[in-house]
Structures are given as C-alpha cells and as structure tokens.
C-alpha cells in the first residue's frame, strides 16, 4: 500500500490537501480521481508520504497516463504562496475542464488563415535585437520596438533557434483577435503550431492540452494568458506580445499578473522570456532599468515608410465641425479620399453602444441601472438600454418616468452610433464594427482575412482594433474623443490613453503609402496626447515616474485592494469601516491605509461595494495582513491592475 498527498481541483468543505492510498505506485504530478464525501473530483498527486495515523480512502483511478511536468508543479506552488490563493483555485486555473471525460481525437481544421510573405530579411536593428536577446545571460529581455518595427520577425528568428534545440515555444497574445495573424506568420516557418483560446469548446481545449502533455517533439503554442500553463515538457522561449495590455492580469483568484508568472515559468525551464511592446508598462520599464535588465530598443519601422500626416482637431473649435456634430470636416474629407482611392479607413472610439447617456430634457432624469446605479447605454440597433456592468436590459421609455414629458434625448458617442452616422454619410460602403457586442461569427479573428485583403472599407471599433493588427491597405486613422479615458479616477488612466493612442496611430505609417491620422479631442495639450502624437515614450515615461514617485504608487510601492460586497449600502459601509479600524491597530509604519470609500462601480448586480487601498514599500508587509481579513464578503487583490 502506498500513500499520497492529493490536491483537489474543486473547492470543498475544507480547503487544502488530502491523503489517499493506492495499490499502484504513482508518479508525482499524476492526475487522478478521488472521492471526497459523496463527491468524485479530480486531484493531483503532490507527494508520497508514509502511512498516516488516520484511515485513508483509495484513489479511484489515474485519468492521464503522463504526469504533469515538474516545472508546472513548481509554478503551482509558487502561485499559491505568492498570491495566497486556495490550492483548488490554482489547479482550476492551470488545468482544463473535463479531465475526467474520455475524448476521441479529431483532425483540427484551421480557418481564417492570413496570407503573408513566406520569407523575410531581418533589418540590421532586428538582427541586433535577436543577437542581444539570444546572448543575454539573464532570463528576461524587454523588446521596446515602435509600432511597425517588426517585433514578430524577431520572435520568429529567436523561436527558430530555440526550436533547433528541441525545445518548445509559447507566444502569448492579449486578444483572440491577434491569434489568426500570428498563427499565419508562424505556420510559414513551423509545422507544429498549436492554438488555444477561450472561444474553443471544452473538448477542443482538452485535446490541445493532452497533445501538449504527451508530445515528445517541440511545439509552438500561440494563445492568451492561459497558454502559459500548458503542460509542455521542455520550454525554451516565452514571448509576451503587447505585454502592456490589461488583459494579462487575471481578475479572479489567483489574481496573477502574467508577466510576473512568466518569469517563474521561464526560470523553472531555464528558458528565455521576451516582453514585447511599443508602449511598455511604466512599472515594467522602471523595473528593467533598476535591475539592469536587458532593454532592446527598435526605434524605427522595419520597412521604408512615408511619415503620416497628423491633424489634431479641438472639439472646442466648433468651426471644425460644420458638417457633423462629432465627425470633423477634415476627417470626413479624409474618409472620402480614402474611399475614392480604394484604401481603408479605421475609426477608433473606446466606448461601445450608441449613446452613454439617456435623459429627460425637461426634468433632468437619467436612465440608470437599478442594479448598478450607473448610466445605461443606448443600443440603437436593438433600441434597448443596456448596463455595461451587469448586462441588464430595458426598453427605452417613450416618456420620462419622473415628469411624463416626451423630451427623452440620448447624448454621447459610442461605436454603434459612429457606425450609424457613417452609414448615412457614405453609401454603398462595406463597414465592419468590432467591439464587445460582436457575436462569435462577427468577431475580429474570424474576419481578419477580409480586413487584411481590404474587402472591408471602413473599420470601426474599440480597443480591440488598436492592438498589433497589420492592415496593408489602411490609409486613414480617425480617433474620436481621444481623451475619453482621462476622466477615469485611476493612477493608470493617463498611461492607458497614451498606450491606446500610440497603438491605434501605429496601424499606419508602415509603408510608403500616403496616410493620414486625425485625432479629435477636448484636451489637445494633455501630455498623454501630445507625447503619443510624437511617439515620445521617453518623455511620457519621465512624466509618469515623477507623478508616481510623489504619490507613492507603483513601481515605488506595492498595492493591495480590499473590496467588500453587501446587499445593502449600510452593510458595505459598516463592514469597510470596521475592517479599517481593525487594520489601523497594527500601526505598521511601512503601511499606508487609505480610509474606506465606495468603489468606482459602487453597485454591481444589486450589491453595494466598498473598498480599502493599502500601500507599502514591502510586499511581505501587505501579505501579513491577509490572515486578519474576513474571508466572507471580502475580495483581496495584491498588485491590482487599477484601483477602479
């Protein structure tokens, strides 16, 4: 009889590890089925132990013949310790669903493949970047390349070197939309390319996972942050493309930051880690400088190019909007020229829907969500009011519910309204909108070939269209209300606006084709906008570092966000104030505990939310508070991406 400590993958009545016995010898990392009470759950063999003093249950069966790689087991241990998360939450994150099900393998068919050149010649700067990364004695390299500098070619060149060493490669992307483009490019150089993402079925993801676990040959894996945890036996390279993107932060327990975890995975495999971005996170860039990490800069596009013509339109100057209320005359003329020349137009606005405010002109009543207490967005195509927080929908009132007057108006701009206005102004034009309202069949990654080929004339969308897309026929970029994100009360707001503008403007200026960028804004002199227009990351970085140093914000402090959620506003407020008083008793000089406040989205799904933010120069001091935070009703986020 042999005895093993097992980590269940489901949270049970008591959290932690359990001891079971088996007649067979099992390897560490084996995936098994066990019974807990009247439930049968999946578990992971963590270690072998001597016979305990208490009776044990038998392990029912081994589900997978190949055990998990040791580096993945070590990563799980690190995640549990670093983020103080339940062991079941860790394994739910690392493993696919349905492991207990038997799957019949099938041939996968790749759709939406984009034609690219099969060969490329590295520029001198690209080759220098490849040399510096491959010769770097440290694990991590930060590849700071401007948009169009050919970072993908650098990834491919390094990946080919690693592949020849019989090691696997992981390429992480922030959005599913970018997988088609990268897969097409990598498939010209590698035959063993694996794709995984959240739009795949449970069965498809399970089969991909099994293939990675059981493969005796190196693979190239492309996908979002979850691809980092595929059970590859030997990893030689991890690339995090567009590493600045917020989607690399997991918003459920364990609330991990992908770039941080990738360093751990790379260390366990003795692999190289490349962080690629035209606009690296302020904290990442500071850390790289502080630790003498290798920063490789590519400051010019890979191909010869014609500099775009850039026009900044001030919304306060009404003479610029003589033909339309929010589309400037200059932008309309640029769209008309592009259509005449049979080139593409991209219109970016970071708000979906038709109008963010519905109100009564007579009494000032505003349509707000009963569950969340935030303004509801009009979706004119369905003629419904939608809450973008909880998703609840209401019909648009014909008269004001307060004063019964019929002067109901809709104010503000969203992507659906832009689409409607463009459709009115430009007839017989092929228009595609990409935002959070797209159905699966209309998603960007399913239509990328049409975008690439230029069969779509005008592209309208939110941040999804700003990220890394190669659109060779694009000649006009219009940014509508460029300063929209600056009003958000968060320390990352300026940084996010700078990133989005830089990335969106970077869709043009990649060739010798004449191109135009038109930026419409109420704040043309704001530093996030002026530096983005100049592609001046250095100046924006220096400004941000000074602001954050004064305010003791990351990278100069670690943050912990504590948030409670109650059915009543009084309950949330009282719980937050009670915890605040308790935390103040510790009187630790390294901690700065801000008084409790309502969360930015104070009411979500019918529950009220209050939060406390704690700063410290020592992350370990923050972790010491965790045992004192009530587990019920409270969510803990160490290293939050934002404070909203």
């Amino acid at each position: 009889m042999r005895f093993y400590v097992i980590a269940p993958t489901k949270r049970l009545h008591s959290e932690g590890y359990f001891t079971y016995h088996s007649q067979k010898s099992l390897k560490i990392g084996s995936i098994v089925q066990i019974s807990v009470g009247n439930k049968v759950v999946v578990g992971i063999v963590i270690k072998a132990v001597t016979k305990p003093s208490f009776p044990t249950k038998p392990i029912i069966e081994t589900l997978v013949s190949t055990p998990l790689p040791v580096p993945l087991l070590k990563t799980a241990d690190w995640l549990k310790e670093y983020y103080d998360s339940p062991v079941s939450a860790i394994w739910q994150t690392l493993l696919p669903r349905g492991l207990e099900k038997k799957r019949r393998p099938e041939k996968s068919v790749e759709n939406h493949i984009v034609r690219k050149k099969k060969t490329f010649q590295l520029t001198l700067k690209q080759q220098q970047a490849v040399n510096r990364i491959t010769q770097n004695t440290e694990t991590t390299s930060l590849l700071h390349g401007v948009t169009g500098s050919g970072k993908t070619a650098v990834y491919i060149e390094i990946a080919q070197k690693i592949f020849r060493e019989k090691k696997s490669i992981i390429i992480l992307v922030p959005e599913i939309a970018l997988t088609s483009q990268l897969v097409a490019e990598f498939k010209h150089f590698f035959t063993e390319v694996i794709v995984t993402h959240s739009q795949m079925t449970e069965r498809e993801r399970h089969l991909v996972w099994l293939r990675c676990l059981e493969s005796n040959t190196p693979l190239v894996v492309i996908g979002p942050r979850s691809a980092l945890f595929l059970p590859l036996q030997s990893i030689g390279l991890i690339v995090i493309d567009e590493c600045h993107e917020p989607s690399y932060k997991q918003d459920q327990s364990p609330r991990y930051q992908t770039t941080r975890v990738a360093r751990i995975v790379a260390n366990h495999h003795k692999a190289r880690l490349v962080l690629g971005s035209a606009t690296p996170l302020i904290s990442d860039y500071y850390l790289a400088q502080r630790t003498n990490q290798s920063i490789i800069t590519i400051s010019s596009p890979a191909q010869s190019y014609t500099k775009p013509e850039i026009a900044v339109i001030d919304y306060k100057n009404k003479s610029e909007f003589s033909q339309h209320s929010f589309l400037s005359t200059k932008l309309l003329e640029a769209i008309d020229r592009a259509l005449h020349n049979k080139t593409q137009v991209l219109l970016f606005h970071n708000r979906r829907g038709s109008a963010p405010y519905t109100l009564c002109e007579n009494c000032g009543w505003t349509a707000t969500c009963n569950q969340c207490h935030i303004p509801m967005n009009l979706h004119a195509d369905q003629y419904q009011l939608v809450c973008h927080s909880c998703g609840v929908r209401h019909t648009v009132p014909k008269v004001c519910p307060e004063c019964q007057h019929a002067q109901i108006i809709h104010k503000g701009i969203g992507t659906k309204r832009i689409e409607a206005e463009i459709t009115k102004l430009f007839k017989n034009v092929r228009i595609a909108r990409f935002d959070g309202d797209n159905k699966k069949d209309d998603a960007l990654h399913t239509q990328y070939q049409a975008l690439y080929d230029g069969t779509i004339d005008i592209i309208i969308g939110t941040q999804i269209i700003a990220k890394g897309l190669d659109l060779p026929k694009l000649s006009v970029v219009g940014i509508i209300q460029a300063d929209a994100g600056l009003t958000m009360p968060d320390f990352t707001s300026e940084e996010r606006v700078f990133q989005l503008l830089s990335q969106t403007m970077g869709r043009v200026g990649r060739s010798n084709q004449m191109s135009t960028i038109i930026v419409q804004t109420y704040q043309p002199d704001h530093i996030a906008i002026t530096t983005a227009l100049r592609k001046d990351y250095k100046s924006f970085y220096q400004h941000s570092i000074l602001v954050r140093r004064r305010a003791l914000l990351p990278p100069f402090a670690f943050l912990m966000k504590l948030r409670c959620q109650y059915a009543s506003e009084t309950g949330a407020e009282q719980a937050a104030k009670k915890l605040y008083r308790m935390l103040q008793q510790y009187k630790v000089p390294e901690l700065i505990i801000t008084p409790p406040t309502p969360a930015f989205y104070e009411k979500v799904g019918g529950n009220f939310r209050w939060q406390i933010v704690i700063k410290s120069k020592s992350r370990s001091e923050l972790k010491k508070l965790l045992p004192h935070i009530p587990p019920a009703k409270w969510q803990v986020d160490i290293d939050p991406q934002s404070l909203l």
Side-chain angles (χ1 to χ4, degrees):
M1 192 81 71
R2 295 171 174 84
F3 298 87
Y4 299 95
V5 172
I6 308 293
T9 60
K10 288 187 179 179
R11 191 157 194 173
L12 304 165
H13 58 277
S14 60
E15 180 60 41
Y17 301 97
F18 300 89
T19 303
Y20 288 79
H21 66 260
S22 172
Q23 299 290 347
K24 299 178 181 178
S25 176
L26 299 176
K27 293 181 179 179
I28 306 305
S30 294
I31 300 174
V32 298
Q33 264 193 334
I34 54 173
S35 65
V36 182
N38 58 358
K39 294 181 179 179
V40 175
V41 300
V42 175
I44 312 300
V45 176
I46 300 300
K47 62 179 179 180
V49 293
T50 57
K51 183 178 180 180
S53 58
F54 50 85
T56 58
K57 289 184 176 181
I59 292 171
I60 298 173
E61 66 171 323
T62 302
L63 294 174
V64 184
S65 59
T66 307
L68 296 174
V70 172
L72 190 62
L73 298 174
K74 290 181 178 178
T75 300
D77 288 340
W78 181 87
L79 281 165
K80 183 180 185 304
E81 173 63 27
Y82 194 78
Y83 291 103
D84 199 65
S85 294
V87 65
S88 57
I90 300 297
W91 285 110
Q92 285 172 11
T93 300
L94 269 57
L95 300 178
R97 294 179 181 176
L99 280 172
E100 70 284 0
K101 298 176 183 177
K102 304 298 181 185
R103 310 287 189 184
R104 182 179 296 174
E106 64 177 13
K107 269 193 171 182
S108 60
V109 179
E110 288 291 345
N111 297 317
H112 321 300
I113 295 301
V114 184
R115 296 185 291 274
K116 297 282 180 186
K117 295 179 180 178
K118 293 188 177 181
T119 60
F120 57 81
Q121 183 70 40
L122 292 180
T123 66
L124 176 61
K125 290 185 177 179
Q126 286 174 325
Q127 188 60 60
Q128 289 172 340
V130 170
N131 294 341
R132 286 190 60 188
I133 292 169
T134 54
Q135 294 167 12
N136 185 12
T137 56
E138 300 296 323
T139 299
T140 306
S141 298
L142 177 59
L143 180 59
H144 181 201
V146 298
T147 52
S149 60
K151 293 185 287 293
T152 302
V154 173
Y155 305 154
I156 290 172
E157 185 70 15
I158 299 169
Q160 287 180 305
K161 293 176 182 290
I162 297 297
F163 209 73
R164 287 194 289 269
E165 298 172 7
K166 307 297 183 185
K167 293 183 178 180
S168 292
I169 293 104
I170 296 177
I171 311 291
L172 300 184
V173 293
E175 294 282 352
I176 297 169
L178 298 182
T179 55
S180 295
Q181 181 175 315
L182 273 175
V183 168
E185 293 179 342
F186 270 83
K187 278 202 167 185
H188 288 311
F189 302 92
F190 302 91
T191 56
E192 297 293 322
V193 178
I194 304 293
V195 183
T196 180
H197 54 71
S198 60
Q199 295 296 316
M200 295 167 69
T201 64
E202 177 186 289
R203 181 174 184 274
E204 288 171 334
R205 298 187 81 176
H206 186 186
L207 289 173
V208 164
W209 184 88
L210 283 172
R211 183 177 174 189
C212 291
L213 178 67
E214 296 170 352
S215 177
N216 294 319
T217 58
L219 303 172
V220 175
V221 172
I222 300 176
R225 62 174 185 264
S226 59
L228 181 63
F229 304 122
L230 284 172
L232 297 164
Q233 299 297 333
S234 178
I235 300 171
L237 173 67
I238 301 170
V239 172
I240 305 183
D241 193 30
E242 310 290 356
C243 64
H244 61 277
E245 281 296 327
S247 56
Y248 284 122
K249 168 74 173 181
Q250 166 97 339
D251 58 5
Q252 297 176 347
S253 180
R255 292 180 169 83
Y256 66 86
Q257 177 60 40
T258 304
T259 53
R260 184 74 188 89
V261 184
R263 287 185 172 94
I264 301 304
V265 176
N267 285 334
H268 289 327
H269 281 273
K270 295 182 172 54
R272 297 188 182 279
L273 171 63
V274 178
L275 308 179
S277 175
T279 54
L281 288 172
I282 299 298
S283 296
D284 284 350
Y285 201 85
Y286 178 84
L287 178 65
Q289 287 187 324
R290 184 94 182 267
T291 58
N292 294 319
Q293 193 180 105
S294 182
I295 302 176
I296 298 102
T297 302
I298 307 179
S299 56
S300 59
Q303 301 177 356
S304 61
Y305 70 103
T306 299
K307 195 172 182 180
E309 176 191 334
I310 300 177
V312 181
I313 308 297
D314 191 339
Y315 269 115
K316 300 188 292 294
N317 184 357
K318 299 304 178 186
S319 66
E320 297 278 9
F321 298 87
S322 57
Q323 296 182 28
H324 194 275
S325 60
F326 65 81
L327 300 172
S328 66
T329 303
K330 193 164 284 188
L331 178 57
L332 293 174
E333 290 172 348
I335 295 172
D336 197 51
R337 282 196 306 273
L339 295 174
H340 177 76
N341 295 330
K342 300 190 183 307
T343 58
Q344 283 177 313
V345 175
L346 185 151
L347 300 178
F348 168 81
H349 184 58
N350 207 25
R351 186 191 292 274
R352 60 191 172 99
S354 303
Y357 304 106
T358 296
L359 60 153
C360 173
E361 259 189 334
N362 183 58
C363 72
W365 167 86
T366 302
T368 56
C369 176
N370 294 330
Q371 300 290 319
C372 306
H373 287 192
I374 62 174
M376 300 191 77
N377 284 253
L378 172 69
H379 286 241
D381 56 339
Q382 304 157 3
Y383 207 62
Q384 285 186 316
L385 296 173
V386 180
C387 175
H388 284 179
S389 177
C390 69
V392 70
R393 294 170 178 263
H394 294 304
T395 56
V396 181
K398 295 179 179 178
V399 298
C400 174
E402 296 289 336
C403 70
Q404 307 305 309
H405 280 260
Q407 294 98 329
I408 301 295
I409 62 171
H410 308 286
K411 301 189 71 173
I413 307 167
T415 49
K416 285 186 178 177
R417 184 178 175 192
I418 295 169
E419 181 184 25
E421 295 297 311
I422 290 294
T423 302
K424 290 178 192 173
L425 293 167
F426 300 97
K427 307 298 182 184
N428 302 318
V429 171
R430 297 161 297 186
I431 301 171
R433 191 195 76 249
F434 301 103
D435 54 31
D437 293 318
N438 285 120
K439 295 178 181 177
K440 186 176 180 179
D441 292 341
D442 298 326
L444 193 149
H445 72 281
T446 66
Q447 296 197 54
Y448 187 75
Q449 186 68 58
L451 294 174
Y452 184 82
D453 292 339
T455 56
I456 293 173
D457 300 310
I458 300 179
I459 308 158
I460 301 169
T462 55
Q463 57 184 310
I464 193 171
I465 63 173
K467 303 169 185 175
L469 295 177
D470 182 16
L471 303 170
K473 297 193 177 182
L474 183 67
S475 70
V476 172
V477 168
I479 300 175
I480 299 167
Q481 209 169 333
D483 49 277
L486 294 174
T487 58
M488 302 296 279
D490 187 66
F491 73 98
T492 64
S493 295
E494 288 186 351
E495 181 178 25
R496 190 66 186 138
V497 168
F498 173 82
Q499 291 166 347
L500 285 172
L501 293 187
S502 300
Q503 295 287 334
T504 307
M505 291 190 296
R507 296 314 100 214
V508 290
R510 293 164 170 254
S511 67
N512 287 319
Q513 177 177 264
M514 296 292 293
S515 58
T516 303
I517 299 171
I518 296 175
V519 179
Q520 300 181 173
T521 174
Y522 286 101
Q523 302 182 62
D525 298 322
H526 194 285
I527 190 166
I529 293 174
T530 58
T531 52
L533 289 169
R534 300 195 307 265
K535 292 189 176 181
D536 188 357
Y537 178 85
K538 186 176 180 180
S539 293
F540 180 75
Y541 171 79
Q542 290 171 341
H543 157 79
S544 300
I545 281 295
L546 289 174
V547 170
R548 295 192 185 188
R549 182 181 276 115
R550 285 196 297 265
L552 197 64
L553 289 166
F556 302 101
F558 294 95
L559 300 179
M560 181 161 68
K561 181 170 67 177
L562 309 176
R563 178 176 289 166
C564 66
Q565 187 165 295
Y566 281 79
S568 72
E569 185 175 12
T570 302
E573 181 180 1
Q574 289 178 349
K577 289 180 176 178
K578 180 181 178 182
L579 180 59
Y580 176 68
R581 289 192 296 268
M582 187 270 287
L583 293 173
Q584 282 185 310
Q585 296 175 5
Y586 294 104
K587 300 186 184 302
V588 180
E590 288 82 8
L591 298 179
I592 298 174
I593 306 173
T594 60
T597 59
F600 179 74
Y601 298 105
E602 182 179 358
K603 193 181 182 190
V604 174
N607 290 316
F608 291 86
R609 310 191 307 172
W610 276 58
Q611 68 185 34
I612 299 170
V613 176
I614 306 173
K615 303 178 186 178
S616 177
K617 291 185 177 181
S618 167
R619 195 176 188 278
S620 60
E621 290 298 327
L622 290 177
K623 287 190 67 179
K624 288 178 183 177
L625 297 176
L626 294 177
H628 306 290
I629 298 167
K633 303 289 187 180
W634 283 94
Q635 290 182 345
V636 179
D637 190 357
I638 301 180
D639 311 322
Q641 189 77 12
S642 80
L643 298 179
L644 296 179

